[in-house]
Amino acid sequence: MLIMNNIKKVFRTDLVETHALRDFSLEVNEGEFVAVTGPSGSGKTTFLNVTGMLETFDGGCYTLDGKDVSQLNDNQRSKLRNEKIGFIFQSFNLIPDLNLFDNVDVPLRYRGFSAKERKSRIENALERVGLSARMKHLPSQLSGGQQQRVAIARALAGEPRFLLADEPTGNLDSLMARQVMQLLEEINQQGTTIIMVTHDAELARRAQRNIHIVDGQVSDYQQLQPVLDLAEA
Amino acid sequence: MFAYYFKLSWLGIKRTPMLTALMVIAIGLGIGVSMTVLTVNYLMGKDPIPAKSHQLYHLQLNAMGKGPEWNYTADGYPWQVTYQDVQNVHRSEIPTRKTRSLATGVTIVPDNTIPNETGATPFLESTRAIDRDFFAMFDINFIFGESWNKQVDIDAENVAVINKELNEKLFKGENSIGKQIKLNAILYTIVGVIENWQPTPRFYDLNNGNFNSTERLFIPFSLLPIHELPSWGNNQGWKTETVNTYQDKLRSETTWNQYWVEITSRDQLAQYKEWLAGYISQQKKLGRFQSKKAGATLRNVNQWMEYNHVVSNDSSILVGLSFMFLAVCIINTIGLLLAKFLKRAPEVGVRRALGASRKAIFIQHLVDVTLIGLMGGLLGLALGQLGLVGVKNLYSSYSQLVYMDTSLIIAAIAISLGSSLLAGLYPAWLICRTNPSVYLKTQ
């Protein structure tokens, strides 16, 4: 359960003060698939960063799984992020020097799992995204769609409660985008809560709920009819 | 987790080989220069006989008359003592051990010992005239035989102790006890062969080169008046005297001998000082020791080295300058580390998003600099060795100072690691404080 009440986030420079989030309130329930849309500069990514505790906020209250995030120090936030949240980025953000196995290993290392446990989780996660045969490959040896699947495996390996996806299909062609979207839906069906920032209205329609952000505020809650297949839309 | 950090560091080094090489060279140069200077400085001032340095005392006497004072030392005491004083104070039985000492020299005629084998022509050899206690006082080990007996210190005999090197040269390393060598056309019997002995600094005679080689040949001091052995060291005088014969010199106020005693307790030291005071009082009655500063001073080995400025001020300044150079290298390394770490900022953003705390990122980057520091330290050690070889080639008198012992090698690695950690603190702190979202944002 994720609850945000009147969250404020202001970016300040010497000359300009930008209100990225203004009295932003939102509740996301366990197992939901929420799409976040809005024009460029509306505050979608800021919302995702605050949700993932990568950014602090200037006001309001944010509770993640019953924990008041504003009361946590960096160590505690990092631990909570590591245990509860998985990230998927538009540009995949895989570490180029590490092979797939080691890339998926990164969050598990910080989690403190044993070598045996890590190996089992990595193999399962890569199996789940269909890349178990390419564990020793470097990211540069994969296509964009495959890289995003590795990023999803990395996000899933720690079995997080929440998956935060920032334009996960933004760098992919339509076929790859469809495959990634299907994978996310499967993950959601298995109980993982997904919050996905997207520009793509078609993708947004496949989510259970669509949140539209304008000028740092939730402008509309939309309960959309889930779309079973992108091809049918 | 540290093994994981080391793995990441190694990958990081492979990713930025040029930057890493520049940092290793910067640290290596700083360490190399510092260690070269520090090694020379350290060995100059190192306690040459740590087990006994506190119980070996060098005697100085100011036997001067009224008039001008001795201005060459801080306390107005000549470095050496006269022959007559050496002979007089040698009568005291208070010290546990005692030795008179003089740097002299002889001509050795080798064909007397191994004809046609060494094939060498007669050669001059620096020699030390001493008493039998000398070897035991300074912990010198014998390979063959032993020192001459005590009576020889009184009733001179033509006996000699040689070191291993000279024994190799004259007798091909065989047990030469009982064999004879011809010194200044006089036959001497070998009674002992010692290990090669090279204290650094050469504390027992700082009047004749702090870092010179030790003598290879030792003969009884009691032979001085008999063979009229010349002084091969410094002779200092303060009184206008006519010295035409060797006997004149023995009776003169010229200071050209040294005197060492071994004293093992405070009571013994107090007793000996009291005895010396009595001696001076007696001499005053004879018209000697008339100066305002007349008296006796005993200095242990370390005090004696400090008194003689074995570690010169120039050397200390050089150490300071070399560490300033190291500081410049560290500052350069900070700049290079900043470039390297900031290049890696996007990866840090990803790691933070995946659960790495600031502390974890900070430690990972300190491991990075530790690895670089270790490589810099090893390069610095190699450069330091080269520097010491350069010192040896430039200054032959420092030839005994051109090695690094274990403590210096450990110090080099420690200084290198400390320097690199110091250089890495700010860049690591900066990178761990970076907002990860800046590098994750793609829209």
Side-chain angles (χ1 to χ4, degrees):
Chain A
M1 182 82 161
L2 182 156
I3 304 168
M4 284 183 171
N5 278 319
N6 301 317
I7 294 291
K8 292 186 181 73
K9 177 66 188 175
V10 183
F11 292 105
R12 292 184 178 88
T13 65
D14 290 343
L15 300 173
V16 185
E17 203 172 70
T18 307
H19 292 260
L21 296 176
R22 310 161 187 256
D23 294 326
F24 189 98
S25 297
L26 175 71
E27 279 189 28
V28 177
N29 294 317
E30 190 94 34
E32 270 195 294
F33 192 151
V34 179
V36 180
T37 57
S40 287
S42 59
K44 301 187 299 295
T45 298
T46 303
F47 154 70
L48 211 64
N49 287 338
V50 169
T51 307
M53 295 172 286
L54 295 173
E55 295 264 15
T56 54
F57 48 94
D58 303 306
C61 180
Y62 170 28
T63 310
L64 182 71
D65 243 13
K67 286 193 174 164
D68 183 353
V69 170
S70 64
Q71 300 300 312
L72 304 178
N73 62 27
D74 180 72
N75 261 340
Q76 292 164 326
R77 281 201 303 274
S78 300
K79 190 168 185 291
L80 190 62
R81 181 163 59 237
N82 182 260
E83 288 173 1
K84 306 277 185 189
I85 296 174
F87 277 99
I88 303 169
F89 306 99
Q90 180 177 353
S91 54
F92 326 132
N93 281 337
L94 298 175
I95 297 170
D97 303 331
L98 303 181
N99 62 30
L100 305 196
F101 185 96
D102 288 337
N103 259 290
V104 179
D105 189 29
V106 173
L108 306 181
R109 287 274 182 178
Y110 296 117
R111 189 83 163 265
F113 286 134
S114 67
K116 190 179 169 190
E117 173 77 13
R118 289 201 319 272
K119 185 170 183 285
S120 158
R121 281 173 177 260
I122 294 164
E123 285 170 355
N124 286 341
L126 286 171
E127 180 79 44
R128 203 167 163 188
V129 298
L131 288 168
S132 57
R134 311 190 74 172
M135 274 185 213
K136 297 298 170 191
H137 284 63
L138 290 171
S140 58
Q141 295 169 311
L142 303 180
S143 69
Q146 287 171 323
Q147 287 190 45
Q148 192 60 297
R149 276 152 59 195
V150 177
I152 292 170
R154 182 176 66 183
L156 291 178
E159 295 175 1
R161 301 277 293 278
F162 299 88
L163 203 56
L164 306 183
D166 193 356
E167 295 278 6
T169 59
N171 279 357
L172 303 178
D173 61 37
S174 59
L175 180 65
M176 292 288 186
R178 194 188 307 166
Q179 287 176 355
V180 166
M181 196 59 200
Q182 278 171 350
L183 188 57
L184 290 177
E185 283 167 346
E186 280 172 28
I187 292 162
N188 175 246
Q189 279 160 18
Q190 286 161 13
T192 306
T193 308
I194 297 179
I195 300 172
M196 178 181 72
V197 164
T198 182
H199 272 114
D200 189 328
E202 290 300 332
L203 288 184
R205 284 189 62 203
R206 294 178 67 155
Q208 292 163 6
R209 186 149 61 104
N210 190 353
I211 298 162
H212 194 66
I213 300 177
V214 177
D215 288 339
Q217 287 181 308
V218 178
S219 74
D220 195 11
Y221 278 82
Q222 295 175 29
Q223 195 73 35
L224 299 175
Q225 188 66 32
V227 178
L228 295 177
D229 194 303
L230 193 65
E232 296 171 10
Chain B
M1 201 65 182
F2 274 98
Y4 180 59
Y5 291 150
F6 271 111
K7 180 185 169 185
L8 295 179
S9 297
W10 184 243
L11 284 172
I13 285 168
K14 287 205 290 189
R15 195 190 308 164
T16 52
M18 276 308 291
L19 267 178
T20 306
L22 284 172
M23 283 185 281
V24 169
I25 290 168
I27 293 172
L29 275 175
I31 294 295
V33 170
S34 308
M35 289 316 296
T36 302
V37 179
L38 194 65
T39 300
V40 173
N41 192 270
Y42 166 76
L43 291 177
M44 274 181 177
K46 189 183 171 187
D47 187 341
I49 183 164
K52 296 182 84 174
S53 58
H54 59 288
Q55 59 191 46
L56 296 173
Y57 289 89
H58 180 268
L59 175 68
Q60 283 174 277
L61 293 169
N62 186 338
M64 292 175 72
K66 288 176 181 167
E69 300 289 348
W70 185 268
N71 291 324
Y72 305 104
T73 52
D75 58 358
Y77 277 61
W79 295 283
Q80 302 183 99
V81 286
T82 63
Y83 178 78
Q84 54 180 315
D85 283 326
V86 153
Q87 292 297 90
N88 290 334
V89 296
H90 197 57
R91 293 196 185 100
S92 170
E93 294 298 330
I94 296 168
T96 306
R97 293 190 180 101
K98 55 190 179 176
T99 182
R100 298 165 290 183
S101 177
L102 172 71
T104 183
V106 294
T107 304
I108 300 181
V109 185
D111 61 357
N112 171 265
T113 55
I114 310 173
N116 305 322
E117 284 197 26
T118 59
T121 51
F123 57 93
L124 288 173
E125 183 70 26
S126 292
T127 307
R128 180 130 314 246
I130 46 163
D131 289 308
R132 78 180 301 274
D133 281 353
F134 183 89
F135 303 101
M137 283 175 77
F138 299 130
D139 281 347
I140 304 167
N141 296 322
F142 278 83
I143 302 170
F144 303 119
E146 56 185 359
S147 185
W148 49 82
N149 66 56
K150 203 162 188 174
Q151 199 55 36
V152 174
D153 287 340
I154 302 161
D155 306 323
E157 255 182 64
N158 293 331
V159 291
V161 169
I162 58 177
N163 80 350
K164 187 180 175 183
E165 188 184 343
L166 190 58
N167 192 52
E168 287 282 345
K169 184 172 182 176
L170 297 175
F171 303 107
K172 300 227 164 171
E174 290 174 2
N175 185 346
S176 55
I177 303 303
K179 293 189 176 175
Q180 291 191 309
I181 50 173
K182 193 181 275 183
L183 310 178
N184 290 348
I186 297 166
L187 285 173
Y188 284 66
T189 304
I190 306 288
V191 295
V193 178
I194 58 168
E195 292 279 7
N196 293 333
W197 178 62
Q198 182 60 65
T200 306
R202 202 178 71 146
F203 66 95
Y204 67 89
D205 185 4
L206 297 177
N207 306 283
N208 298 298
N210 297 344
F211 305 104
N212 286 357
S213 298
T214 53
E215 293 82 1
R216 303 188 295 177
L217 173 63
F218 301 85
I219 56 175
F221 188 89
S222 50
L223 290 171
L224 250 72
I226 296 166
H227 296 318
E228 299 193 346
L229 294 168
S231 167
W232 276 31
N234 289 323
N235 296 262
Q236 290 120 1
W238 56 272
K239 192 176 180 181
T240 307
E241 295 174 296
T242 304
V243 179
N244 290 325
T245 64
Y246 198 82
Q247 290 303 315
D248 287 344
K249 188 170 184 181
L250 295 182
R251 282 192 297 268
S252 74
E253 292 292 348
T254 303
T255 59
W256 56 302
N257 300 140
Q258 296 122 33
Y259 196 68
W260 283 89
V261 292
E262 183 175 341
I263 289 174
T264 51
S265 72
R266 282 172 181 269
D267 287 347
Q268 194 181 15
L269 182 62
Q271 206 182 340
Y272 189 54
K273 281 181 175 175
E274 196 179 328
W275 185 92
L276 287 170
Y279 168 69
I280 290 162
S281 169
Q282 182 199 53
Q283 289 292 307
K284 277 183 176 175
K285 287 175 190 164
L286 298 172
R288 300 180 70 227
F289 289 86
Q290 297 300 310
S291 160
K292 286 178 189 170
K293 293 180 178 173
T297 302
L298 289 165
R299 287 188 167 85
N300 68 27
V301 172
N302 289 322
Q303 290 167 339
W304 181 232
M305 293 205 318
E306 198 179 328
Y307 181 80
N308 281 279
H309 304 292
V310 170
V311 181
S312 66
N313 288 339
D314 290 353
S315 178
S316 302
I317 289 168
L318 265 180
V319 171
L321 285 174
S322 70
F323 275 91
M324 282 171 71
F325 177 69
L326 178 62
V328 171
C329 292
I330 290 172
I331 291 166
N332 274 305
T333 307
I334 291 173
L336 293 166
L337 277 173
L338 274 173
K340 181 181 163 82
F341 286 179
L342 289 177
K343 197 174 173 184
R344 202 192 288 168
E347 183 190 321
V348 169
V350 174
R351 287 184 179 279
R352 292 276 285 137
L354 298 178
S357 63
R358 281 179 182 152
K359 187 178 159 192
I361 297 294
F362 186 74
I363 293 171
Q364 181 195 325
H365 285 81
L366 285 190
V367 170
D368 256 26
V369 294
T370 304
L371 199 60
I372 290 165
L374 202 60
M375 291 193 286
L378 292 176
L379 177 67
L381 275 175
L383 293 175
Q385 294 290 357
L386 276 179
L388 289 174
V389 171
V391 169
K392 184 182 180 181
N393 290 336
L394 278 174
Y395 307 103
S396 57
S397 61
Y398 282 8
S399 60
Q400 306 302 329
L401 300 177
V402 294
Y403 71 93
M404 280 191 198
D405 62 16
T406 313
S407 60
L408 280 166
I409 291 169
I410 292 169
I413 298 291
I415 292 171
S416 177
L417 289 178
S419 305
S420 52
L421 281 173
L422 190 68
L425 278 178
Y426 175 65
W429 179 81
L430 199 70
I431 197 74
C432 82
R433 304 289 300 179
T434 305
N435 184 353
S437 61
V438 172
Y439 299 101
L440 300 172
K441 187 171 167 61
T442 55
Q443 294 182 84

